[in-house]
Amino acid sequence: MNKQKRIAILTRLRDNNPTPTTELTFNSPFELLISVLLSAQATDISVNKATAKLYPVANTAEKMLELGLDEIKRYIKTIGLFNTKAKNIIKTCQILIDKYNGEVPENREALESLPGVGRKTANVVLNTAFGWPTIAVDTHIFRVCNRTNFAPGKNVIEVEQKLLTVVPTEFKVDCHHWFILHGRYTCIARKPRCGACIIEDLCEFNDKQHPTT
Ligand code: SF4
């Protein structure tokens, strides 16, 4: 895909949604970190439901440790992999207190060293809590970037590197959210809604889907 087309796509996504953000509910970097950690293989809706009850009780590392493993499990038991996630929350909170004064570090290496926090989670936290121009590539972004030919790659790292190279600076901070939302609601996995897609004329996918009636 050429540069002009990429800029046209980004401009259209921006015009359609000038201030995009995550669909996870959060009020602090700590809440965002825990919500992203909980969202692995789970929907944002299910995470928001659980954290709406959890955060009023525990919205800091200290309070989370006070709450303890069993109680945390009780709050998040509707979310997939909750046992492992609860253990990771406890370990992460302990490290935040021991090494970072109870704060979420604004540092990729430090974030990626936390239990249950990988490159994608670190990218989301750096981008959404701290405004860094990082681009976290999840399954939705991977699919959209390959289908459209915007930033094709064999794996998420390749797509991330390509995006960081081809997305102009002015679009970098919000690019992650535009592509996620586009993949979640329009360019969906099983049957993309090409007829309702605002970038259809720019997309280079060879197998666009339109309703037959
Ligand atoms: S035209 Fe279809 S395949 Fe291309 S981005 Fe839109 S929904 Fe996805």
Side-chain angles (χ1 to χ4, degrees):
M1 177 173 287
N2 65 37
K3 189 177 167 189
Q4 260 181 334
K5 247 191 199 178
R6 286 201 186 96
I7 290 177
I9 286 178
L10 291 165
T11 304
R12 215 173 277 175
L13 292 173
R14 180 175 65 187
D15 288 348
N16 182 54
N17 186 2
T19 52
T21 188
T22 175
E23 294 188 312
L24 290 169
T25 309
F26 71 99
N27 287 300
S28 65
F30 177 76
E31 289 186 2
L32 178 66
L33 172 66
I34 299 300
S35 289
V36 180
L37 197 153
L38 289 172
S39 71
Q41 294 177 49
T43 64
D44 287 358
I45 293 170
S46 70
V47 172
N48 289 341
K49 259 192 188 166
T51 58
K53 292 189 177 147
L54 174 64
Y55 292 155
V57 181
N59 62 353
T60 62
E62 206 169 22
K63 287 181 189 165
M64 207 60 94
L65 287 181
E66 271 170 28
L67 192 61
L69 184 64
D70 289 342
E71 276 297 291
I72 292 174
K73 279 186 192 173
R74 206 169 59 77
Y75 280 101
I76 65 167
K77 64 175 188 272
T78 50
I79 301 173
L81 309 175
F82 73 95
N83 274 312
T84 308
K85 288 175 182 173
K87 283 180 199 153
N88 283 336
I89 289 173
I90 290 282
K91 286 186 207 155
T92 285
C93 289
Q94 193 61 60
I95 295 171
L96 292 184
I97 286 173
D98 293 345
K99 291 177 83 171
Y100 305 107
N101 234 351
E103 302 293 324
V104 175
E106 189 179 341
N107 174 306
R108 172 186 297 286
E109 219 182 15
L111 283 169
E112 285 186 20
S113 73
L114 298 170
V117 177
R119 184 178 181 83
K120 195 191 83 183
T121 301
N123 273 330
V124 173
V125 172
L126 289 171
N127 175 271
T128 307
F130 299 118
W132 284 33
T134 56
I135 306 176
V137 177
D138 72 345
T139 175
H140 297 300
I141 298 185
F142 181 75
R143 181 176 65 253
V144 171
C145 286
N146 273 293
R147 271 184 184 161
T148 55
N149 204 31
F150 186 100
K154 288 195 282 296
N155 53 52
V156 290
I157 294 283
E158 266 189 38
V159 171
E160 180 185 329
Q161 299 301 349
K162 181 100 188 167
L163 283 170
L164 289 172
T165 311
V166 301
V167 173
T169 309
E170 64 170 305
F171 297 104
K172 267 203 183 113
V173 170
D174 292 326
C175 166
H176 158 79
H177 291 119
W178 289 322
F179 280 132
I180 263 198
L181 294 169
H182 193 66
R184 200 174 273 173
Y185 297 111
T186 307
C187 195
I188 51 181
R190 282 185 54 196
K191 205 168 179 209
R193 299 185 175 129
C194 302
C197 176
I198 61 168
I199 56 167
E200 187 190 358
D201 56 319
L202 301 163
C203 168
E204 295 180 358
F205 189 42
N206 285 328
D207 193 19
K208 292 178 187 164
Q209 305 284 315
H210 295 95
T212 46
T213 53

